Amino acid sequence: MKFYTISPKPHLKLRIIATLIDYGIYFLFYGVYLYIFDENPEPGEATVTGLMVLPIVIIWFLYFVVLESAHATPGHDIVKLKVVTDEAAKPSFSAIFKRRLLDPIDIFMYGIPALICVSKTAKHQRLGDLWANTLVVKASDITEKEVIF
């Protein structure tokens, strides 16, 4: 039987880099999409309304929730971070979704809530991680012990 012990570390630089990569890719898609499907003739005031907003939400869901539940987002994969549960298991799809629902709080407040939570919580979790009971760790933060009976 295998037991896993997690000693999470903040990994602030890696988390910031991963977030910048992930949201950089997403906002690149967002900007191109707005440029292509802009309904407002005024320059600098792009607008998309109605059903044309749906692909933006779908791409966010596919990029952040589906990719992370399958393996990892490109940003997390590049910096070698992964999302796990308290028991070092792969989180459920619903846990990943809950975790990502609170991203706007971090993003629109310039990451300040995330920085405060990561530096002040015992397991270095941000708001989404606290709600979903997940941790962001490197593989080296997980220690595996095998017990033979």
Side-chain angles (χ1 to χ4, degrees), residues 24-87:
I25 292 169
Y26 176 73
F27 284 126
L28 180 67
F29 160 77
Y30 181 78
V32 169
Y33 186 83
L34 279 178
Y35 180 77
I36 293 171
F37 296 105
D38 182 16
E39 298 170 355
N40 192 347
E42 295 293 319
E45 295 183 22
T47 313
V48 177
T49 58
L51 283 176
M52 294 306 289
V53 173
L54 194 57
I56 294 170
V57 176
I58 290 171
I59 294 298
W60 175 87
F61 183 79
L62 290 173
Y63 186 89
F64 289 102
V65 179
V66 173
L67 273 180
E68 195 164 277
S69 64
H71 174 62
T73 60
H76 278 78
D77 203 28
I78 288 169
V79 298
K80 307 294 184 220
L81 291 174
K82 63 183 188 175
V83 179
V84 296
T85 64
D86 289 337
E87 296 83 33

Side-chain angles (χ1 to χ4, degrees), residues 20 40 53 56 58 72 74 77 79 92 97 107 109 129 132-134:
L20 289 174
N40 192 347
V53 173
I56 294 170
I58 290 171
D77 203 28
V79 298
S92 67
F97 185 61
I107 297 300
M109 293 185 174
D129 293 319
N133 294 319
T134 57

